[in-house]
């Protein structure tokens, strides 16, 4: 059983297109995250949701819009894709301790996005 | 703000060599400290963690001790294997915060 899954695993698209990445976790966690990892492996937090509420919204172009339909899902929609959006996008989840998330994050396998 | 600094890679070792990857942090309060590992083509996974000063986290032969006096959490392994080749991330999560702060990652290559 996959704990955190993402689809698609690979995404190759043209500049200007709109695309979505989906994430699901079956761990019963209440907090989910999107990270962007560049070619040098640097990991940058983009968004986080706790119980479907946005709690982290880093400096990310507004072409990126997350959506959490329920606690087990966090999707990422990207409008008007640009060359610089090429990266690996990771979804992660964790279990909060009350209102404040604590503890280990569980990562999905990543979505490798290439914008041509 | 909170930050994590880890040694730059890549680190290249021969099999059975001793490994140290340095990690220091800056944080207010009493953060939890983590080492995550990323194998090629995969997502990050927790390697070990420590939640308070002087705690030692250990897993798969790796160890790290939470040193508050030196604000460090260095990763060590006595004898590395080729299968340990991966990128290692030091991270902290502070109480009262929502974010995990990751270091820049250190790539390890182990040669047979």
């Amino acid at each position: 059983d996959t704990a955190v899954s993402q689809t698609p695993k690979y995404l190759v698209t043209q500049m200007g297109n709109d695309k979505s990445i989906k994430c699901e976790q079956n761990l019963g966690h209440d907090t989910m995250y999107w990270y962007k990892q560049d070619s040098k492996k640097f990991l940058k937090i983009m968004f986080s949701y706790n119980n479907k509420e946005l709690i982290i919204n880093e400096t990310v172009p507004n072409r990126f819009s997350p959506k959490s339909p329920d606690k087990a899902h966090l999707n990422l929609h990207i409008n008007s894709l640009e060359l610089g959006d090429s990266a690996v996008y990771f979804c992660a989840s964790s279990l909060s301790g009350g209102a404040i998330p604590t503890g280990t994050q569980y990562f999905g396998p990543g979505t490798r996005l290439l914008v041509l | 703000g909170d930050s994590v600094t880890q040694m730059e890679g890549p680190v290249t070792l021969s099999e059975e060599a001793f490994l140290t990857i340095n990690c220091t942090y800056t944080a207010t309060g009493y953060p939890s400290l983590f080492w995550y590992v990323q194998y090629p083509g995969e997502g990050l996974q927790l390697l070990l963690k420590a939640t308070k000063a002087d705690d030692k986290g250990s897993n798969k032969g790796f160890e790290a001790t939470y040193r508050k006096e030196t604000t460090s959490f260095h990763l060590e392994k006595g004898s590395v294997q080729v299968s340990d080749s991966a990128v290692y991330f030091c991270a902290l999560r502070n109480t009262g915060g929502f974010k995990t702060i990751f270091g820049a990652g250190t790539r390890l290559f182990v040669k047979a």
Side-chain angles (χ1 to χ4, degrees):
Chain A
D1 283 344
T2 304
V4 182
S5 59
Q6 296 179 227
T7 54
K9 188 167 185 179
Y10 299 96
L11 188 52
V12 181
T13 188
Q14 299 288 327
M15 265 175 43
N17 284 350
D18 303 339
K19 291 293 178 186
S20 291
I21 307 172
K22 296 188 174 183
C23 178
E24 176 181 2
Q25 54 92 6
N26 63 6
L27 296 167
H29 290 167
D30 55 5
T31 307
M32 297 184 72
Y33 311 80
W34 278 113
Y35 289 88
K36 178 181 181 180
Q37 186 176 49
D38 64 22
S39 58
K40 294 185 178 179
K41 299 298 184 182
F42 186 75
L43 202 63
K44 177 185 173 183
I45 180 76
M46 300 174 70
F47 303 103
S48 178
Y49 276 75
N50 174 252
N51 286 316
K52 301 195 299 174
E53 287 194 30
L54 183 65
I55 56 171
I56 295 174
N57 187 359
E58 291 293 288
T59 307
V60 175
N62 58 14
R63 298 182 293 103
F64 290 80
S65 52
K67 193 163 288 184
S68 182
D70 56 57
K71 288 195 298 185
H73 296 85
L74 180 61
N75 303 323
L76 183 66
H77 188 76
I78 315 171
N79 289 326
S80 304
L81 278 154
E82 299 178 357
L83 294 177
D85 297 332
S86 296
V88 183
Y89 292 84
F90 286 102
C91 177
S93 72
S94 67
L95 187 64
S96 71
I100 309 296
T102 58
T104 303
Q105 293 196 12
Y106 293 79
F107 283 77
T111 295
R112 285 139 190 87
L113 172 64
L114 178 60
V115 182
L116 302 174
Chain B
D2 297 348
S3 66
V4 175
T5 303
Q6 58 183 108
M7 62 189 285
E8 277 191 43
V11 173
T12 303
L13 296 172
S14 297
E15 212 166 19
E16 298 183 5
F18 185 86
L19 168 72
T20 300
I21 301 178
N22 290 337
C23 171
T24 57
Y25 68 91
T26 302
T28 56
Y30 303 93
S32 295
L33 301 175
F34 305 82
W35 277 101
Y36 285 84
V37 59
Q38 183 180 25
Y39 297 105
E42 298 182 10
L44 282 72
Q45 56 185 274
L46 179 71
L47 181 59
L48 53 86
K49 69 178 183 181
T51 57
K52 61 183 187 297
D54 300 325
D55 268 3
K56 178 187 283 189
S58 61
N59 186 25
K60 299 181 182 179
F62 291 89
E63 292 183 341
T65 300
Y66 188 144
R67 302 280 187 207
K68 192 161 178 65
E69 64 277 13
T70 54
T71 62
S72 64
F73 193 54
H74 304 321
L75 182 68
E76 296 182 337
K77 186 175 186 182
S79 175
V80 294
Q81 305 300 311
V82 171
S83 57
D84 293 327
S85 297
V87 181
Y88 292 81
F89 293 87
C90 186
L92 73 83
R93 180 188 283 275
N94 215 335
T95 54
F98 292 94
K99 278 196 267 189
T100 295
I101 309 297
F102 287 89
T106 302
R107 188 184 293 270
L108 170 66
F109 292 105
V110 180
K111 304 179 296 185

